[in-house]
Every structure is written in structure tokens, then in C-alpha cells.
């Protein structure tokens, strides 16, 4: 029964795109830190299956290392998001407007 | 700048509606409202409305530049490619049928220009070989040495050295120009398809379905690419912050 449940769990994990390798299989249903770091993106993308999500959050609640890890990933994403705050150079805009004007004349 | 650049009343309304759409959860599944706005915008452009074109430049030019840089070698070439793409957009306006969103259409033109240019430069093109892309190939997010070995009697796979709490770092360090350079370096070092995924999703903030649609890849493959890219950028940042501590 347990074996079947584990096989099912593995299949479900595969469906989320995170195939487990043999060395990652733990002896219980608890996720290890090493597994958590591979599930972070699926967690943040909200694509974990409900039961995996519960396991993920249960682990997080008890593990400061993984809590920090997930926060680091969140910070990384928000830093990436802030790279975009650059306006278009006025000269570039002017050049493109010239392109537009000559296109309009055609 | 001439008066012609100021948006006419009717156009500024569109701009507002479109910006709202831009932050809605799934503009990829373009609502009929967004498509109607696209059509209106295209009509204005066809009529030679300069404000409409300026709005478009403000919306997309920087993003286009960033995406072009994924394909070609230098900033200068990327700028040429984007300029070429704008010309392509204008020349193709009459052929725009609204089957995809205007944004997707513009970025497809850009990608085509960039790919053509990359071919000429003799560079390989990301995603041209994506069907062979192996999502199951192991590429750990974190160095396995950071965890206890799988055969550890008590806690296999547990952290050996805990990741730090970055909130405890001074904010000016997180936001410094040097940190920025470090992130850009990390992205530049990524394989091209991971670079495209992280650029569109995290830097440009495109929603997942829009990116999948644009790159013609499955949600799963996109997540794998994104996962690997984010993991590497985080790792580089961690290393950089650790060095600063030493």
C-alpha cells in the first residue's frame, strides 16, 4: 500500500515537471531540504498539487534554512523585476519618430 | 517636441485601458476588449497618429531591446535589430489581422529580425532545438554538497550550511549598482533558452501563458527553464553577498 502511494506520489511529482531521481526518494512522505529547493518554482508558480503544497508548507514552517531560501528566491525575482526601470533614450525616440514620419509619407 | 506628440483624448483612454490589461492576470488569453483596443490602436497608427506610435515605443522598446540582446552579440546590434523590427511593424500594419494580440505580433516580428541577424552572425538560436531540450536532465538548483548525503542516518538531504536571511543585509547593498551588474552578469551567462524565459517572465513580467504561447513551449518546459534560470541567478547573488561579508 505504502509502495503504491509512493509510486503515485512520484507520478504526480513528474506531472508537475519535477521528476524525482532515485537518490532523492526519502523514506517518508516528508520533503527534504534538497527536494524543497527543486520545488520552489512550482510552489511560487502555484503549480504544486495540493498535497505536495501542504508538505512543502509544513516543511517550511519548521525549517529556517528553507524559509530563507524561498525568501532569497522571492528577493531575486523582485530584483529582476526592477531591472526594467529604464526609459527610452530621447535620441532613440527621435530616430524612431523619423522612421514613422517617413513611413507615413509613403 | 511638437504638439502632435500629445495624445489626443480618444487615444489616452486606450492607453489607460491597455495599461490596466497589462497587469491583469492573463492578458495572454486576450479578452475581446483588449483586441478591440489593439484594432483601434492599429487604426490610429495606419492613420499616421504619432502619439499612438510614441505610446507603443514607450510600452515596448526597452523590452524589445532586452529580448534582442538574447539573440545577438552586442548592444549596438540589438539596437539595430529593434529599429529594423519597428520598420517591420509599420510596414506590416496592413497585414495585422488581430489573430494574436498586437504585443505578441510585435514581439514575433522582433524575434524574426533578431533570429535572421543571429544567423548572419553565425550564432546558434535559442529554441530552434527546443524539442530535444531535456527537462529531466539533472541540473540541481543548489550545489548537492550543501546538503547531508542521501544515506545520512538521521536527516538525508538537510542543509549543512543554512542559507542566510537576506533581509538582515543593508538595503543599499541589495539595491546597489554593483548588485545590478552582478545580476546582469548572471543572466548573460545562462544558456539562451533559460535567458529568454527569465527575461520575459521575471524582468519583463509577462504572465506564464503569454510566454508559453509566444515561445510555443509547454507550461512544464517553461517552468523548468525558469526554475534553472532563477536558481542560478540566486546562486550567483548568494556568492556575491557572501564575498561582501568576508
Amino acid at each position: 500500500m505504502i509502495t503504491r502511494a509512493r509510486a503515485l506520489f512520484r507520478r504526480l511529482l513528474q506531472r508537475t515537471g519535477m521528476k524525482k531521481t532515485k537518490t532523492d526518494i526519502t523514506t517518508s512522505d516528508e520533503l527534504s531540504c534538497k527536494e524543497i529547493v527543486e520545488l520552489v518554482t512550482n510552489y511560487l508558480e502555484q503549480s504544486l498539487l495540493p498535497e505536495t503544497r501542504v508538505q512543502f508548507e509544513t516543511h517550511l514552517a519548521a525549517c529556517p534554512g528553507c524559509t530563507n531560501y524561498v525568501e532569497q528566491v522571492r528577493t531575486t525575482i523582485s530584483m529582476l523585476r526592477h531591472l526594467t526601470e529604464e526609459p527610452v533614450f530621447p535620441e532613440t525616440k527621435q530616430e524612431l519618430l523619423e522612421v514613422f514620419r517617413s513611413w507615413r509619407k509613403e | 517636441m511638437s504638439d502632435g506628440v500629445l495624445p489626443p483624448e480618444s487615444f489616452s483612454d486606450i492607453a489607460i485601458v491597455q495599461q490596466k490589461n497589462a497587469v491583469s492576470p492573463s492578458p495572454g488569453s486576450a479578452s475581446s476588449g483588449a483586441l478591440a483596443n489593439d484594432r483601434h490602436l492599429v487604426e490610429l497608427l495606419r492613420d499616421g497618429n504619432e502619439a499612438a506610435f510614441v505610446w507603443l515605443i514607450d510600452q515596448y522598446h526597452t523590452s524589445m531591446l532586452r529580448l534582442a540582446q538574447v539573440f545577438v552579440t552586442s548592444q549596438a546590434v540589438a539596437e539595430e535589430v529593434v529599429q529594423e523590427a519597428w520598420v517591420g511593424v509599420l510596414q506590416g500594419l496592413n497585414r495585422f489581422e488581430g489573430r494574436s494580440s498586437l504585443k505578441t505580433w510585435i514581439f514575433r516580428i522582433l524575434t524574426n529580425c533578431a533570429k535572421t541577424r543571429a544567423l548572419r552572425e553565425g550564432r546558434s538560436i535559442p529554441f530552434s532545438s527546443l524539442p530535444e531540450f531535456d527537462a529531466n536532465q539533472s541540473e540541481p538548483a543548489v550545489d548537492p554538497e550543501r546538503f547531508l548525503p542521501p544515506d545520512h542516518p538521521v536527516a538525508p538531504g538537510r542543509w549543512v550550511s543554512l542559507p542566510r536571511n537576506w533581509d538582515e543585509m543593508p538595503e543599499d547593498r541589495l539595491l546597489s549598482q554593483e548588485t545590478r551588474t552582478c545580476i546582469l552578469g548572471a543572466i548573460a551567462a545562462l544558456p539562451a533558452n533559460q535567458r529568454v524565459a527569465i527575461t520575459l517572465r521575471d524582468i519583463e513580467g509577462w504572465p506564464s501563458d503569454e510566454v508559453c504561447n509566444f515561445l510555443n513551449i509547454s507550461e512544464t518546459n517553461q517552468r523548468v527553464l525558469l526554475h534553472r534560470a532563477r536558481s542560478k541567478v540566486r546562486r550567483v547573488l548568494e556568492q556575491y553577498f557572501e564575498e561582501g561579508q568576508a
Side-chain angles (χ1 to χ4, degrees), chain B residues 28-103:
Chain B
S29 52
S31 67
S32 56
L35 288 179
N37 286 336
D38 277 356
R39 269 201 295 278
H40 188 181
L41 192 53
V42 169
E43 270 167 37
L44 289 170
L45 290 167
R46 281 176 189 153
D47 290 346
N49 184 310
E50 216 163 272
F53 190 62
V54 169
W55 184 82
L56 219 51
I57 295 172
D58 285 335
Q59 281 294 298
Y60 301 133
H61 187 82
T62 318
S63 304
M64 289 163 77
L65 202 52
R66 209 181 304 277
L67 188 58
Q69 276 174 293
V70 173
F71 295 88
V72 298
T73 42
S74 70
Q75 166 95 17
V77 176
E79 274 168 25
E80 281 173 36
V81 165
V82 176
Q83 172 127 193
E84 229 173 85
W86 280 120
V87 173
V89 166
L90 292 174
Q91 285 172 346
L93 272 181
N94 286 323
R95 292 194 303 275
F96 177 75
E97 290 170 351
R99 264 182 289 181
S100 60
S101 72
L102 184 62
K103 177 182 173 185

Side-chain angles (χ1 to χ4, degrees), chain B residues 129-139 193 221 224-225 228:
Chain B
S129 59
L130 202 69
E132 278 88 51
F133 153 77
D134 186 0
N136 292 324
Q137 200 192 344
S138 164
E139 196 180 305
N193 48 15
N221 275 0
V224 173
L225 290 174
R228 290 179 180 174

Side-chain angles (χ1 to χ4, degrees), chain B residues 44-245:
Chain B
L44 289 170
L45 290 167
R46 281 176 189 153
D47 290 346
N49 184 310
E50 216 163 272
F53 190 62
V54 169
W55 184 82
L56 219 51
I57 295 172
D58 285 335
Q59 281 294 298
Y60 301 133
H61 187 82
T62 318
S63 304
M64 289 163 77
L65 202 52
R66 209 181 304 277
L67 188 58
Q69 276 174 293
V70 173
F71 295 88
V72 298
T73 42
S74 70
Q75 166 95 17
V77 176
E79 274 168 25
E80 281 173 36
V81 165
V82 176
Q83 172 127 193
E84 229 173 85
W86 280 120
V87 173
V89 166
L90 292 174
Q91 285 172 346
L93 272 181
N94 286 323
R95 292 194 303 275
F96 177 75
E97 290 170 351
R99 264 182 289 181
S100 60
S101 72
L102 184 62
K103 177 182 173 185
T104 303
W105 184 73
I106 291 175
F107 277 86
R108 289 236 165 89
I109 292 177
L110 172 80
T111 319
N112 287 338
C113 290
K115 282 180 179 172
T116 309
R117 189 59 178 257
L119 266 183
R120 243 189 294 157
E121 288 189 322
R123 290 192 97 201
S124 65
I125 299 162
F127 293 100
S128 59
S129 59
L130 202 69
E132 278 88 51
F133 153 77
D134 186 0
N136 292 324
Q137 200 192 344
S138 164
E139 196 180 305
V142 174
D143 182 354
E145 307 239 309
R146 299 259 327 246
F147 303 102
L148 294 174
D151 57 356
H152 191 275
V154 184
R158 187 188 285 174
W159 291 107
V160 175
S161 61
L162 297 193
R164 271 173 203 272
N165 181 353
W166 285 358
D167 287 347
E168 287 163 5
M169 255 184 322
E171 192 152 292
D172 56 353
R173 180 146 170 79
L174 273 176
L175 304 173
S176 74
Q177 188 58 40
E178 221 183 311
T179 306
R180 217 184 118 90
T181 310
C182 170
I183 297 175
L184 290 174
I187 293 169
L190 293 171
N193 48 15
Q194 292 178 24
R195 200 161 8 128
V196 176
I198 200 169
T199 299
L200 294 180
R201 282 298 309 280
D202 289 342
I203 304 184
E204 302 303 336
W206 289 25
S208 166
D209 53 353
E210 209 173 306
V211 174
C212 290
N213 182 276
F214 178 69
L215 297 175
N216 201 15
I217 56 175
S218 70
E219 291 267 350
T220 304
N221 275 0
Q222 187 220 190
R223 270 201 304 274
V224 173
L225 290 174
L226 190 62
H227 179 67
R228 290 179 180 174
R230 282 178 179 173
S231 302
K232 282 181 205 157
V233 175
R234 186 215 64 89
R235 208 153 60 199
V236 171
L237 275 173
E238 183 181 50
Q239 216 164 15
Y240 165 73
F241 289 144
E242 293 292 320
E243 279 162 17
Q245 299 275 333

